[in-house]
């Protein structure tokens, strides 16, 4: 029911044409659209009820993310409602509760500043958080910060004397420079430089030198929701392709009547269904047994990455020449699939986690 309601809303308020309009206008987000989503309770899907959220769980968050993937919605849902909300839920204090309430009301957006190299690798973080008095000074650079150009607050991972520490700071604090990056999928992303940025003990989310206790559950939540988005993307591209096979004619008959194309479409449908099942399982595991959800989440992200890329490649090929043009929407699906494949760990990163979990 949640997915059906989301699909009805997004088909009207944020079809792929909406993304095209934002791109052509040089914009990466629609604040009014996010406000509508928050008003419907989507921003609070993982926020506890006593903080004003619905606390529907990760399976529900994945259902919403999947529908957003179908129409390539650009919004801070993953960064804010999923990743930041999950991180803040790991901390039991008044400040975290207030931040969660603001997320649920749609008053604040977040971005996760982790990546520093070409690949996702939190443990390799080199940004320094140098102890100074009762606080720290943060110096370094973060790349590929999704939603970073427009976010109100940042979750920044930095290296302290005894390990890694997660900081929650305003994006406009002195010493922070944000450089918006032109992503091929028209999604908001930035390169963020921190130069002697002052952070107090109150800015630490969780405990000093123990970032992963807070961050690991948030990353798994984000990876599962991103997998759901990519599964939705694959379903959207597949649906567009099937409709084209029914309409395009050669030799006086629809090309969908050709057996070779039927076989390719059937194979792609099977891949989409198996991936959807993996995504459902990841959401279930996060809700029922989060401590043991890592393999299910990585399996979902790896499969979704492969399926989304297969869907867009087949879509472009079966559309023929028009599939290569900017005037046709399939290109938007291909670009989003390529960028999403790299965010929060690529296929190789997650396939390795699955292999290790299975003893290989």
């Amino acid at each position: 029911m949640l997915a059906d309601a989301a699909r009805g809303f997004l088909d009207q308020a944020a079809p792929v044409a909406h993304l095209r309009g934002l791109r052509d206008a040089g914009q990466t987000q629609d604040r009014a659209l996010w406000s509508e989503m928050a008003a419907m309770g989507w921003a609070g899907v993982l926020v506890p009820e006593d903080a004003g959220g619905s606390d529907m769980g990760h399976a529900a968050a994945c259902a919403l993310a999947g529908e957003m993937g179908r129409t390539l919605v650009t919004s801070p849902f993953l960064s804010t409602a999923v990743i930041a909300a999950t991180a803040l839920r790991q901390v039991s204090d008044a400040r975290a509760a207030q931040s969660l309430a603001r997320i649920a009301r749609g008053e604040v957006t977040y971005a996760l500043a982790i990546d520093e190299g070409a690949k996702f690798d939190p443990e390799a973080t080199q940004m320094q958080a140098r102890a100074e008095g009762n606080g720290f000074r943060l110096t370094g650079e973060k790349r590929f910060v999704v939603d970073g150009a427009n976010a109100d607050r940042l979750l920044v991972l930095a290296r302290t004397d005894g390990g890694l520490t997660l900081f929650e700071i305003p994006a406009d604090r002195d010493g922070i420079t944000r450089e918006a990056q032109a992503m091929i999928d028209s999604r908001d992303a930035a390169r963020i430089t921190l130069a002697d940025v002052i952070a107090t003990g109150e800015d630490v989310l969780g405990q000093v030198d123990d970032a992963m206790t807070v961050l690991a559950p948030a990353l798994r939540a984000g990876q599962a929701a991103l997998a759901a988005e990519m599964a939705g993307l694959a379903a959207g591209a597949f649906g567009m392709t099937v409709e084209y096979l029914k309409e395009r004619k050669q030799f006086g008959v629809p090309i969908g009547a050709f057996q070779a194309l039927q076989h390719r479409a059937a194979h792609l449908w099977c891949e989409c269904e198996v991936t959807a099942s993996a995504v459902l399982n990841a959401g279930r595991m996060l809700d029922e047994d989060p401590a043991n959800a890592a393999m299910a989440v990585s399996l979902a992200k790896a499969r979704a990455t492969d399926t989304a890329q297969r869907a867009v490649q087949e879509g472009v090929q079966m559309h023929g020449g028009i599939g290569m043009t900017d005037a046709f929407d399939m290109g938007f699906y291909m670009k989003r699939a390529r960028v999403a494949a790299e965010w929060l760990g690529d296929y190789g990163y997650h396939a390795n986690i699955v292999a290790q979990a299975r003893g290989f």
Side-chain angles (χ1 to χ4, degrees):
M1 290 175 63
L2 178 64
D4 288 344
R7 186 177 304 180
F9 170 74
L10 294 173
D11 283 347
Q12 295 295 319
V16 181
H18 181 260
L19 172 63
R20 182 184 292 275
L22 288 175
R23 184 205 64 176
D24 292 347
Q27 300 174 4
T28 55
Q29 282 191 11
D30 184 343
R31 289 276 185 173
L33 177 63
W34 178 239
S35 295
E36 289 186 69
M37 292 179 180
M40 291 188 293
W42 296 7
V45 67
L46 293 178
V47 175
E49 292 183 15
D50 57 9
S54 59
D55 202 10
M56 293 184 70
H58 294 280
C62 287
L64 292 173
E67 294 307 319
M68 292 183 200
R70 284 179 182 269
T71 59
L72 306 180
V73 176
T74 58
S75 79
F77 178 77
L78 290 181
S79 296
T80 301
V82 176
I83 296 174
T86 302
L88 289 163
R89 288 192 66 157
Q90 310 308 309
V91 181
S92 299
D93 60 31
R95 186 195 63 165
Q98 292 172 359
S99 296
L100 284 166
R102 295 189 68 198
I103 287 176
R105 293 193 296 267
E107 295 177 355
V108 63
T109 59
Y110 281 79
L112 182 65
I114 288 184
D115 291 338
E116 296 179 4
K119 293 294 183 179
F120 174 78
D121 189 1
E123 297 292 346
T125 294
Q126 295 301 312
M127 174 173 282
Q128 295 297 312
R130 186 176 68 257
E132 184 175 281
N134 293 325
F136 301 87
R137 282 190 179 270
L138 279 62
T139 300
E141 181 180 88
K142 297 292 185 180
R143 304 176 182 178
F144 191 33
V145 181
V146 176
D147 298 323
N150 292 295
D152 302 309
R153 301 189 70 83
L154 303 174
L155 296 178
V156 181
L157 184 64
R159 188 165 296 280
T160 42
D161 290 340
L164 296 173
T165 301
L166 188 63
F167 295 88
E168 192 253 337
I169 57 179
D172 60 355
R173 179 164 287 179
D174 289 345
I176 296 179
T177 303
R178 295 190 282 179
E179 177 188 352
Q181 294 180 303
M183 306 297 291
I184 61 169
D185 68 339
S186 304
R187 188 176 232 156
D188 173 14
R191 176 175 295 183
I192 299 180
T193 303
L194 288 77
D196 280 334
V197 174
I198 297 175
T200 67
E202 293 183 354
D203 294 322
V204 174
L205 195 60
Q207 300 296 319
V208 175
D209 299 331
D210 189 25
M212 299 312 290
T213 296
V214 172
L215 186 58
L219 290 176
R220 287 194 290 270
Q223 289 158 348
L226 181 56
E229 181 182 289
M230 297 180 77
L233 180 158
F238 174 73
M240 182 182 297
T241 301
V242 169
E243 289 303 312
Y244 185 76
L245 295 180
K246 294 177 180 178
E247 296 173 359
R248 179 76 167 94
K249 291 185 177 181
Q250 287 184 352
F251 310 111
V253 296
I255 61 175
F258 301 154
Q259 192 174 57
L261 295 183
Q262 290 177 354
H263 286 171
R264 290 168 65 179
H267 182 204
L268 180 55
W269 180 84
C270 292
E271 291 295 313
C272 288
E273 288 298 299
V274 174
T275 296
S277 179
V279 169
L280 285 171
N281 183 57
R284 179 184 66 83
M285 287 294 292
L286 285 170
D287 286 330
E288 297 178 4
D289 190 9
N292 296 305
M295 188 177 81
V297 170
S298 285
L299 176 62
K301 179 60 165 67
R303 275 210 61 92
T305 296
D306 182 69
T307 302
Q309 299 212 24
R310 184 187 301 272
V312 297
Q313 288 167 2
E314 289 283 53
V316 168
Q317 289 184 15
M318 285 195 268
H319 276 88
I322 193 174
M324 297 294 293
T325 66
D326 183 70
F328 200 70
D329 288 342
M330 185 58 68
F332 285 95
Y333 284 92
M334 175 170 277
K335 292 171 183 176
R336 178 64 59 83
R338 292 293 173 85
V339 175
E342 296 297 323
W343 190 25
L344 301 179
D346 61 10
Y347 179 90
Y349 177 91
H350 290 286
N352 183 57
I353 291 176
V354 174
Q356 289 180 345
R358 298 186 65 184
F360 293 104

